[in-house]
Amino acid sequence: KDLGTSISFPNRTTVESIYYDVAEDFSQRILDSCRDVLYPGGNQHSLDSMCGRPYDKCTKEAFMAYLGIGNPAVPFPIY
């Protein structure tokens, strides 16, 4: 199974992308465990910034995508 791609440089390897499989029920449990978490010192839900959309519109698919390919701050694509 292809787990991603990398480029080799002298004395180092750079990751270009990763392919990661997550079970449907596991991704739902991760989302459910984060659903009511608030930022310390505020009344904003953590999922507002971890899902790329408001927490009440966050789905497990959107959440997993934002942790990988949907977030511009991720250093390489995670599929």
Side-chain angles (χ1 to χ4, degrees):
K1 179 177 175 178
D2 181 14
L3 298 177
T5 58
S6 63
I7 299 175
S8 293
F9 293 96
N11 301 319
R12 66 183 182 164
T13 300
T14 302
V15 174
E16 288 187 327
S17 65
I18 294 176
Y19 294 85
Y20 198 83
D21 288 324
V22 177
E24 293 284 325
D25 65 323
F26 183 68
S27 59
Q28 185 64 52
R29 289 188 318 225
I30 292 173
L31 177 62
D32 292 344
S33 71
C34 296
R35 177 87 49 207
D36 296 319
V37 175
L38 298 176
Y39 278 130
N43 281 334
Q44 183 180 10
H45 286 86
S46 296
L47 279 178
D48 287 341
S49 64
M50 292 175 55
C51 192
R53 59 181 68 185
Y55 84 99
D56 58 342
K57 305 267 190 262
C58 187
T59 64
K60 65 183 176 198
E61 294 83 9
F63 184 53
M64 291 292 117
Y66 196 73
L67 294 177
I69 59 173
N71 185 341
V74 175
F76 48 81
I78 302 171
Y79 300 96

